[in-house]
Amino acid sequence: MMRRLSVTLGVALLAATLSLAQSPKKKHKKPAKPPAPATVSLAEGLPKPEPPPPHTTIVEQIVARVNDKIIDTTDYNSARKDLKASLDQAAQQNGTTVSPVDLAKQDKDLLAQMINNQLLIQRAQDLGLSAETQTILQLDKIRKDNHLATMEDLQKAVEAQGENYQDYEQSIKSGILEQMVIEQDVAPRISAPAPAEIKAYYDAHKTSFVTPDEVRLSEILVKTDGKTPEEQKRLQSLADQIQQRAGRGEDFSKLAQRYSNAPSASAGGDIGFEQRNQLQDSLAKVLFALPMNGVTPVEKTSSGYLILQVTDRHSAGQETLQEASAKISQFLYQRKLQPELKSYMQKLRQDAYITVAPGYVDLGASADNAGPDLTKFYRVLPSDLPKPTDKDKSKNGGFNMGGGGI
């Protein structure tokens, strides 16, 4: 823009100079002889031709096409980021780390899962399903679970984690639609586990239903990293005041949202369940001695001043058949669902138009519906093809799809 403006001004100044040179002379009393004007050639007055623009860089590329929808590089990279975050969170809750082998396997399955999800969403549209109400209810549940006062607070919490709220809301809606399709098209084919099946599984896996001693915790962390001794003293006083307020029964989650510097602050400080054998002996002794909603004294850590609250408790022991029945029933149902869902997805794929760009792999493509070798031939939709001229039509009798057609 700046270059174009300078060119326009240069041409205007040249035109003005020529106009003045051609205007009638007025009479003046022996004006001083002006210096000879510099000779301006047309070539010097006009700017040099601009070089051709550099080759345009393609930011978005199509990774896969699923009927009339596409999965582009932004979708794919965002899904990879979400996958990594989900695996890290699950590993953290289990006190483990994500192995490179597990991450590579999940990453390899990712595109197939994205294609399957898109097929389910398109099927939901075909069935005329809507998830507007369910999405609102689910978002409100998430808000309550995270001890947030309003939906605006939920939006701020999502955006504080670097995620677009509209994308987050859409992911919730898509997940609900996928589940609705499965419940409508697949679930009716499956019978609920019988009581005898549930008991047989319980008897064969009793050791799996021994619960450990564990407590659910919320935290408030007042960080002192990089603070001067004077600032640390002030922050210790703040932590003491917070602990006293929590001890008097003030809402711990609201205190966490206001004062905590930990990542859990947006969730009201909730950090989930911790098993006794995963805690330091001294800390476990304090926590398991506290009553429900009891608060620990302020603990100085390497990061700052920490306050914990016990919000739930599970005692160790063998679950009875009645206590374990719901979990077993859900597990057996899922086990029956998997082969039916696999067969259902294969049918959706067979009836769908799916292409994958070279360099990407769709593990969900079976030998029957994988289509042509995409490293040798890239399929396109008819809408992508150039419109034929009358000459082309008379010569070829219509479109020449190439490669045996679509």
Side-chain angles (χ1 to χ4, degrees):
M1 182 67 181
M2 291 296 294
R3 180 173 178 83
R4 183 178 298 172
L5 180 59
S6 65
V7 169
T8 304
L9 289 174
V11 173
L13 288 172
L14 178 58
T17 302
L18 295 174
S19 175
L20 287 172
Q22 295 171 359
S23 62
K25 294 182 180 179
K26 294 183 179 180
K27 294 183 179 180
H28 296 281
K29 293 182 180 180
K30 293 184 179 180
K33 187 177 182 180
T39 302
V40 180
S41 68
L42 185 61
E44 292 173 345
L46 294 176
K48 295 180 180 179
E50 293 189 12
H55 185 69
T56 304
T57 301
I58 299 176
V59 178
E60 297 295 340
Q61 294 182 335
I62 295 176
V63 174
R65 193 191 298 271
V66 185
N67 293 319
D68 62 341
K69 301 296 182 182
I70 63 170
I71 298 170
D72 61 26
T73 48
T74 295
D75 299 326
Y76 185 72
N77 291 332
S78 177
R80 291 187 72 188
K81 181 181 177 182
D82 291 344
L83 172 64
K84 178 68 164 58
S86 177
L87 292 175
D88 285 340
Q89 183 178 10
Q92 185 178 7
Q93 291 175 349
N94 295 327
T96 60
T97 57
V98 181
S99 71
V101 175
D102 288 341
L103 180 59
K105 182 181 183 304
Q106 294 284 346
D107 192 50
K108 196 173 182 180
D109 293 339
L110 180 60
L111 182 56
Q113 188 60 55
M114 293 179 72
I115 292 173
N116 288 346
N117 292 346
Q118 184 57 239
L119 288 170
L120 288 171
I121 292 170
Q122 292 177 21
R123 175 59 178 163
Q125 294 172 346
D126 294 341
L127 293 171
L129 301 177
S130 172
E132 299 299 329
T133 301
Q134 294 90 331
T135 300
I136 293 172
L137 293 174
Q138 180 64 22
L139 288 169
D140 193 55
K141 181 179 184 302
I142 294 170
R143 176 191 66 79
K144 292 176 181 177
D145 291 345
N146 287 277
H147 310 286
L148 299 172
T150 65
M151 295 303 291
E152 288 76 14
D153 292 334
L154 174 61
Q155 180 172 345
K156 290 177 182 178
V158 170
E159 292 172 347
Q161 297 179 6
E163 188 167 356
N164 181 279
Y165 184 73
Q166 284 70 34
D167 291 344
Y168 177 77
E169 185 176 5
Q170 183 59 48
S171 69
I172 298 292
K173 184 185 294 184
S174 296
I176 294 172
L177 286 172
E178 292 162 19
Q179 187 64 34
M180 290 172 72
V181 170
I182 293 171
E183 289 175 357
Q184 180 163 325
D185 281 358
V186 185
R189 308 177 189 177
I190 304 167
S191 59
E197 293 179 82
I198 296 173
K199 184 177 185 306
Y201 187 89
Y202 175 80
D203 290 340
H205 301 86
K206 272 191 176 182
T207 56
S208 300
F209 300 100
V210 176
T211 59
D213 271 335
E214 58 182 6
V215 288
R216 186 168 187 169
L217 302 174
S218 291
E219 65 176 352
I220 295 175
L221 175 65
V222 180
K223 283 191 174 181
T224 57
D225 295 344
K227 304 298 183 181
T228 64
E230 291 76 14
E231 290 174 321
Q232 290 191 26
K233 187 175 180 180
R234 178 183 63 79
L235 292 172
Q236 182 178 8
S237 176
L238 174 62
D240 289 337
Q241 294 174 36
I242 295 170
Q243 194 275 344
Q244 291 168 11
R245 291 168 63 180
R248 291 195 294 266
E250 191 167 339
D251 192 319
F252 193 92
S253 64
K254 291 183 178 178
L255 291 172
Q257 290 169 9
R258 181 172 181 181
Y259 296 108
S260 181
N261 303 125
S264 59
S266 62
D270 182 47
I271 55 176
F273 280 95
E274 295 287 345
Q275 296 178 9
R276 180 190 287 270
N277 57 10
Q278 294 176 338
L279 298 168
Q280 293 180 354
D281 291 341
S282 57
L283 180 58
K285 187 175 181 180
V286 172
L287 291 174
F288 282 90
L290 286 173
M292 196 67 69
N293 297 320
V295 180
T296 65
V298 176
E299 179 75 17
K300 180 68 173 75
T301 70
S302 58
S303 300
Y305 297 102
L306 179 66
I307 307 164
L308 296 173
Q309 182 187 47
V310 175
T311 59
D312 199 358
R313 186 192 310 276
H314 292 159
S315 298
Q318 176 72 51
E319 285 186 283
T320 64
L321 173 60
Q322 183 177 359
E323 292 171 334
S325 180
K327 287 187 288 188
I328 297 173
S329 178
Q330 181 65 20
F331 172 79
L332 293 177
Y333 178 83
Q334 291 291 335
R335 193 164 69 176
K336 291 181 177 182
L337 176 65
Q338 290 308 313
E340 290 291 341
L341 183 57
K342 183 178 180 180
S343 175
Y344 179 76
M345 292 310 306
Q346 287 175 347
K347 180 66 168 61
L348 286 184
R349 281 174 167 271
Q350 288 169 0
D351 295 341
Y353 174 89
I354 301 172
T355 64
V356 176
Y360 295 91
V361 178
D362 171 22
L363 294 182
S366 67
D368 294 333
N369 65 337
D373 182 358
L374 294 176
T375 61
K376 299 178 181 178
F377 171 66
Y378 190 78
R379 299 169 68 189
V380 296
L381 289 175
S383 58
D384 292 330
L385 296 170
K387 301 298 182 184
T389 64
D390 292 336
K391 183 178 179 180
D392 292 331
K393 291 180 181 178
S394 61
K395 181 178 179 180
N396 299 325
F399 286 121
N400 179 10
M401 296 300 185
I406 294 181

